Amino acid sequence: MPSQQHFPSSQLPTPSPDGVLIAFIASAQLHIRSARTSNDVEIYDLPSGFDQSCRFMRWYGSRDRRSKCASQRLLLADDAKIMIYDVTKSQLFAEISGATTMTKLDDVDFGWTPDEVMVFSDFGFKLQIWSLPTKRAVEVKDPKSTTSNYSYRPMTGHLAILTRPAAHDILLIMAPQSHEVLSTSELSTVDARGIEYSPDGNWLAVFDTASAGCRVVILTADGHHFKTHSLPQDELNLGVRCIQWSPTGDHLAIGDHESNVILLGKSTFTPRLNFFLPRTVEVPNGIVWQEELGPSRSRSYAQAKQPATSPSYESFKATKKRSSGIALMEFNHPRGDLLACTSSDTPSTLWIYSIDSRSGRTTTALIHHSPIKALFWHPAVKDLLLVQCAIAEPTVYVWKGDWSEPRILSLPLKAPIEKHKAAWLTSDGDSIRLMLSTAEQSAIKQFTHEGEEVIDPVGRMGPEAMFDEGNSFDLSSVHMQADKYPDETPAIGLSTELGHTLDVDDTFHYRHQNQAAT
């Protein structure tokens, strides 16, 4: 295998939500690459220094689960500007400059459509929702500074957002496109931590701060109170850590700080199932798989003798402040009849539960040598789960319901690796593909539906011989002639939530050939 080249980068390669394209920054250029052919679709020059200051890279992914919209828009952002690219066009599509003047960006992402950009200021100061066609922004004051403080209603695109202008939580329901405030409701929560619409759009679930106990408020789609799930006052509980709806909307899963998962049933929202993730692992009528290290550090799964013991949090050299309770919780797609969970108390153990309308049972448990970092169910292949652990080796773990045993896959990347990310890519009918990437290199692994690896080498391309024979490629710069980034662009007006227009130089503009109609 040829030696791989390396380059400094501020962003990991990021696959599009549909797994068709891969975006990465190399040597002051943004590359959009086909995941299937490994050819560059587009290459864009970036402003000087932006490759180092870039903090956000976001693809547009449809928030409507019924939509099959392909991923064509991508945004890059630092604290000074946001740049939007359309892979069907050869130049920068739009730019937002000076969205935040006194604070840094806390987060930025696309809204309900690819023509909307949401900009969150640091410290929960404000939210701006930009419309690319109208070149105007609607401003929301005092949004809650949580990672799940808003949710879009499926099918209609109504926006529900949590705010806290004073001592109480306020829920705003905003209309699609215009973002007119349709309703305002004061919630009964102490300090709401997250909100999520049900897949059918009929319900809103809001979970309260952990100090309020195990408390989840169920609202109607327009924000009216329907029911509050909480434990009796004589039952002590450390509170809710996360919630998630099943893809079908039949269950609302509540993960608490005591490693319990409570499943509320549809319509009545009463507890239907309760799972506890203990340190002692025992799966009646099932198999517990344990990771083993070979003499040459080869990794494999072996059946563990039951009951087995999960390594505790204290077993690992943790650098972060400890959290307790359910850490990860993911339903499979599209049926939602499997639930994968991990607990911060036993961070290297994965539990997979089988759920039907009346009962649930433990399907299997997987014990690893390192804490589990992320879980990804395949969006199209039945019961296929990708597990990423916090290890410095290019290794991922894959479980499938009908395999005789799970697989551990090694990818051809130069070790050790630190910051890395795994993702599913678009798959052919006969094979499944995944990607593991760092800032310097990326590799693709291909295997059959039966779990057998496919050898499908990618040939070298271009003067830099970017691709290796093991489906691995480095992310070195591609030398191409491209137009330089324009230094000057015209100023346009900005619109605030009050409808007043302010003239701000270089704040938000289109390239001349892509300018929208006013």
Side-chain angles (χ1 to χ4, degrees), residues 209-232:
T209 183
S211 62
C214 187
R215 193 164 185 266
V216 177
V217 179
I218 306 299
L219 309 171
T220 60
D222 55 357
H224 291 91
H225 183 270
F226 175 74
K227 188 173 184 177
T228 297
H229 167 78
S230 60
L231 295 179

Side-chain angles (χ1 to χ4, degrees), residues 14-23 32-39 41 59 68-72 87 424-427 433 435 444:
T14 303
S16 60
D18 56 12
V20 174
L21 301 172
I22 301 171
I32 309 296
R33 180 164 293 176
S34 168
R36 179 67 190 116
T37 66
S38 297
N39 294 330
V41 176
W59 283 96
K68 302 296 182 183
C69 177
S71 302
Q72 303 290 344
V87 298
W424 293 114
L425 299 179
T426 183
S427 301
R433 306 169 76 235
M435 182 181 77
I444 295 173

Side-chain angles (χ1 to χ4, degrees), residues 203 226-227 249-250 265-270:
W203 305 101
F226 175 74
K227 188 173 184 177
D250 291 336
K266 183 180 180 180
S267 300
T268 60
F269 295 101
T270 54

